[in-house]
Amino acid sequence: MKISRVYFRGFGRWKNRTFRFSKGINLIEAPNESGKSTLLQGIVALLYGAKKEGVNKRQRTSWHERFQPWRGGEYGGEIDFRIGEREYRLVRFLDWPEEREQLVDLKTGRDVTEEFPFDSRKDRRFMESFSGLSREMFQRVVFITSESLA
């Protein structure tokens, strides 16, 4: 999987902000409190949503309230990624409890959301279907942070 673009309508400090990523390893380096952790959490939020994993009852994750847009407005954004030869845009609205998502095939422009049926918790689980990775495993595999190195 290759992430090419992340756009936040609103996520913590990021409002109407786009980040683009190049091939290979991307290093995110900036001063403390500049939004690096918010960017990483936002990527995970857009890919996996705000539902807590590993519980039967639908609950929001512990980070959901902390990353609501600082200046109000929509909570969520878009993430463009490629898996194999297919390119997608996952649009996610993180407002609780009305969280919703849409998956678009970027080559055809077709909405493919309905190709992923709801599970018992009313979640489509796009990323688990594509990668086989839970949210926690994705974070462990994809991001190398100072906490993971400690």
Side-chain angles (χ1 to χ4, degrees), residues 1-3 81-88 107 130:
M1 178 172 136
K2 180 189 180 303
I3 297 171
F81 60 94
R82 174 190 294 258
I83 294 187
E85 294 301 313
R86 297 192 71 185
E87 295 180 58
Y88 298 96
K107 287 188 178 180
F130 284 133

Side-chain angles (χ1 to χ4, degrees), residues 31 46 48 53 55 58 103 105 124 128 139 143 146 148:
L46 292 177
Y48 286 90
E53 289 185 330
V55 295
R58 189 175 184 269
L103 186 66
D105 182 315
R124 294 199 188 268
E128 291 89 336
Q139 287 177 287
F143 302 135
S146 57
S148 66

Side-chain angles (χ1 to χ4, degrees), residues 7-16 64-65 67-77 92-96 100:
Y7 169 71
F8 294 116
R9 282 186 183 81
F11 193 86
R13 73 178 315 144
W14 304 121
K15 185 172 177 117
N16 296 322
H64 185 268
E65 194 169 311
F67 289 101
Q68 288 189 22
W70 290 3
R71 296 178 298 234
E74 279 187 37
Y75 190 7
R92 195 173 296 268
F93 299 89
L94 296 168
D95 291 314
W96 193 265
R100 65 189 194 282

Side-chain angles (χ1 to χ4, degrees), residues 2 17 33-34 48 69 92 98 124 140:
K2 180 189 180 303
R17 178 71 193 268
E33 300 303 318
S34 60
Y48 286 90
R92 195 173 296 268
E98 306 303 320
R124 294 199 188 268
R140 288 184 183 185

